[in-house]
Amino acid sequence: MTGIRLTAPAPGWAIDADVVVVGSGVAGLTTALRCAAAGLDTVVVTKARLDDGSTRWAQGGIAAALGEGDTPEQHLDDTLVAGAGLCDEEAVRTLVTEGPDAVRRLINTGAHFDTTDSGDIALTREGGHHRRRIAHAGGDATGAEISRALVGAVRGAALHTIENALVLDLLTDAEGRTAGVSLHVMGEGQHDGVGAVRAPSVVLATGGMGQVFSATTNPPVSTGDGVALALRAGAEVSDLEFVQFHPTVLFLGADSEGQQPLVSEAVRGEGAHLVDGDGVRFMLGQHELAELAPRDIVAKGITRRMHEHGAEHMYLDARHFGARMWEQRFPTILAACRAHGIDPVTEPVPVAPAAHYASGGVRTDLRGRTTVPGLYACGEVACTGVHGANRLASNSLLEGLVFAERIAADIAEARPPRTEPAGSPGAGDPAPLMAPEARTAIQRTMTRGAGVLRSAESLAAAAEELEALHRDAAADGPSGPKAVVPGVDAWEATNLLLVSRVLVAAAREREETRGCHWREDRPDRDDAHGRRHLVVRIAPDRTPVVHRTETAAFPPVRPSD
């Protein structure tokens, strides 16, 4: 344990449960439903409303070997190729083998996927897939449909939910085992102010950390809270340097910041072409799958062409779809484009890469267990080993489903007893709070130094700027002349800084180009030294400690494993 915590008031209220699930996307709600079905007293904590997480923004779909002629083995092969030598094959095999039935159980929960005229699930292709295996809903509104079904099931089961609540820190008992979480409810939930949910099992399903960058497809709530909490609690994170930049995000201007509209990979899967300002298809010849190459290759191809032409964006041309296909297959994307003055029926869509998905996260085993007893992680916040150095398109929703079920089964089998948190909740060494306005400075630093293109020079500059922000906050301190008032904006900025420092520390250590980690100064993949995972923890003095594994396999999460 690090003893580090966020600066926050002591909890003024507490409730008890068997399990607390933090997050309300596909991973969190699936875990909660399965735990409740096993008879466990389950509480769901979510940062906004139940349906406001990243899942609802997922457009493309969910990948599984559901089609005729497709097999889990073929899905495994495509995933391993995309992961660039760093996938855990056992984790991938678990995903692709258990995935089809997990999707069917999701359908039984109430999710409605698009079907063919014969009533079969309609399947499409996305980058890196050699077969049509992407199930979708509402054309391009898959995440919204999955969220609708799961939220409906949670409400129908009358699960205890706490909305508009930012999780703060992990509570532990005298043995160092999980005993719950502290959290702050933002005035609209069942409780107000800082409180605690005391439970022997905590499941982090907090989603991503895209808000560490200026432009991202992630919603505003994706500030890396789960990774930051886990680090402060002493958990290990892995592969945080592998941030996937989605190749085709609607370009709204060089100065545009915050959440940007995504143009799903499924648009390319249905035959759209990437072209430059002269109308040339520049991905031809760069990869056998051209526009449907894995995302890191397409993002690099777009970025290279932008540099060659001195352009701020490229174009996605799907005019040949015609109005009817756009309206029926991609109504959400069509509406988003038209809202910004672009009509994809009659003109190419300007696109550029933006931060999209964290392939790394809190390190877990195949049961979702982290290196802290009683703490689990699932979905984008976790690093199961499935994604390796680059996530295969539409594997994320499937990972959330499959590993959520595994976590619930593990908790139901173990049924650990409730214990009392050691000391007063919130006791420990308070981390210096960042001023809310530091958020923009962090995002711009990360975009400049640790974005799509990285180098030793850019990462060193980013590290120094981030450390300067950290030093300044520590110098001011809680009793200093510019003491920051604890609150959601300050806590989010503090989480963003911690996650950014760890990401940059890992990126500096990985002196090669692999997957979605692209080092301009080290353009080649180094399998002799690079087929290793970078595991990071935070030392009690708050410095990131990076450890390189001896092989491509993850070490056990427990010494006894």
Side-chain angles (χ1 to χ4, degrees):
M1 303 298 292
T2 67
I4 303 170
R5 62 172 178 85
L6 285 173
T7 300
W13 54 269
I15 58 175
D16 294 301
D18 296 321
V19 185
V20 56
V21 177
V22 187
S24 61
V26 63
L29 295 188
T30 301
T31 304
L33 286 166
R34 297 292 182 270
C35 284
L40 296 164
D41 184 3
T42 305
V43 174
V44 177
V45 174
T46 188
K47 193 172 180 181
R49 305 296 292 178
L50 275 181
D51 61 353
D52 276 346
S54 292
T55 291
R56 65 177 283 211
W57 298 101
Q59 293 175 345
I62 184 166
L66 297 164
E68 184 178 352
D70 198 5
T71 64
E73 200 68 26
Q74 293 176 66
H75 190 181
L76 180 141
D77 289 343
D78 285 346
T79 301
L80 295 180
V81 169
L86 274 185
C87 294
D88 181 287
E89 186 167 339
E90 187 181 0
V92 178
R93 193 172 296 282
T94 298
L95 177 84
V96 300
T97 302
E98 298 180 10
D101 283 342
V103 172
R104 294 183 185 104
R105 284 188 288 273
L106 178 62
I107 293 171
N108 291 336
T109 302
H112 301 292
F113 288 95
D114 296 339
T115 57
T116 63
D117 292 340
S118 61
D120 297 325
I121 295 175
L123 301 171
T124 189
R125 274 184 73 192
E126 290 185 359
H129 293 272
H130 282 79
R131 282 190 173 274
R132 286 183 169 264
R133 66 167 65 97
I134 316 300
H136 48 84
D140 58 357
T142 310
E145 171 57 19
I146 291 173
S147 181
R148 180 205 63 76
L150 291 173
V151 168
V154 164
R155 289 180 172 149
L159 264 66
H160 188 164
T161 61
I162 303 175
E163 297 180 293
N164 303 297
L166 171 65
V167 68
L168 299 176
D169 282 305
L170 190 73
L171 307 179
T172 54
D173 63 18
E175 303 299 319
R177 182 182 171 79
T178 293
V181 292
S182 58
L183 64 156
H184 173 78
V185 181
M186 295 175 261
E188 297 179 24
Q190 180 178 343
H191 307 280
D192 192 17
V194 175
V197 180
R198 297 181 297 214
S201 298
V202 171
V203 183
L204 297 178
T206 51
M209 54 186 189
Q211 291 291 328
V212 301
F213 296 96
S214 296
T216 177
T217 63
N218 290 190
V221 295
S222 298
T223 50
D225 307 319
V227 171
L229 174 149
L231 284 164
R232 287 193 297 271
E236 294 178 349
V237 303
S238 186
D239 302 347
L240 221 59
E241 69 273 25
F242 296 119
V243 176
Q244 186 178 85
F245 286 77
H246 198 288
T248 54
V249 176
L250 185 62
F251 181 76
L252 301 180
D255 298 327
S256 183
E257 295 182 335
Q259 186 179 10
Q260 312 288 300
L262 176 66
V263 181
S264 169
E265 198 152 320
V267 177
R268 281 175 280 139
E270 295 291 354
H273 303 142
L274 282 166
V275 298
D276 60 22
D278 298 324
V280 176
R281 286 182 65 188
F282 55 88
M283 286 304 299
L284 292 175
Q286 292 200 36
H287 190 276
E288 60 166 338
L289 296 177
E291 284 93 352
L292 286 176
R295 287 180 178 175
D296 62 308
I297 294 171
V298 180
K300 291 172 190 176
I302 291 173
T303 304
R304 281 196 194 101
R305 199 67 161 196
M306 285 163 56
H307 284 190
E308 291 168 3
H309 284 226
E312 294 179 322
H313 61 81
M314 290 288 110
Y315 293 94
L316 189 64
D317 192 352
R319 289 174 290 181
H320 55 285
F321 284 4
R324 187 178 178 204
M325 181 171 174
W326 269 109
E327 290 164 359
Q328 293 186 352
R329 181 67 179 86
F330 301 111
T332 307
I333 299 170
L334 178 64
C337 289
R338 285 177 170 170
H340 292 283
I342 299 153
D343 188 351
V345 176
T346 60
E347 60 186 319
V349 179
V351 293
H356 182 56
Y357 189 88
S359 291
V362 185
R363 191 168 75 81
T364 75
D365 63 10
L366 296 186
R367 290 183 278 175
R369 303 182 304 169
T370 74
T371 51
V372 175
L375 179 66
Y376 297 78
C378 190
E380 190 173 354
V381 70
C383 183
T384 62
V386 159
H387 304 306
N390 187 37
R391 174 180 68 99
L392 181 65
S394 289
N395 268 356
S396 50
L397 292 174
L398 190 70
E399 182 193 34
L401 271 183
V402 168
F403 286 90
E405 294 185 342
R406 289 182 143 253
I407 287 171
D410 191 73
I411 295 172
E413 180 183 353
R415 293 186 182 269
R418 299 179 184 180
T419 57
E420 287 294 317
S424 59
D429 183 16
L433 283 182
M434 299 302 300
E437 54 268 26
R439 178 171 180 148
T440 300
I442 295 166
Q443 292 170 330
R444 291 177 178 173
T445 292
M446 291 296 289
T447 297
R448 282 194 305 270
V452 179
L453 297 176
R454 302 168 177 177
S455 66
E457 184 179 1
S458 76
L459 290 166
E464 177 51 37
E465 290 173 28
L466 295 172
E467 290 307 313
L469 288 170
H470 178 68
R471 286 194 303 270
D472 289 347
D476 287 337
S479 59
K482 301 184 205 172
V484 177
V485 177
V488 172
D489 291 343
W491 290 322
E492 285 186 334
T494 303
N495 286 341
L496 286 171
L497 180 64
L498 175 56
V499 171
S500 296
R501 291 173 65 223
V502 171
L503 193 160
V504 168
R508 295 182 76 181
E509 282 288 320
R510 186 165 292 283
E511 296 181 325
E512 62 162 353
T513 288
R514 181 181 296 273
C516 51
H517 172 70
W518 189 10
R519 287 281 298 256
E520 290 181 280
D521 54 336
R522 303 275 184 160
D524 298 320
R525 190 164 131 177
D526 179 8
D527 279 340
H529 303 95
R531 284 200 66 206
R532 305 289 186 273
H533 298 281
L534 298 179
V535 177
V536 189
R537 60 179 177 83
I538 289 293
D541 66 358
R542 304 189 185 95
T543 58
V545 178
V546 184
H547 166 70
R548 185 183 297 268
T549 62
E550 295 182 0
T551 69
F554 270 142
V557 298
R558 306 272 197 280
S560 60
D561 290 347

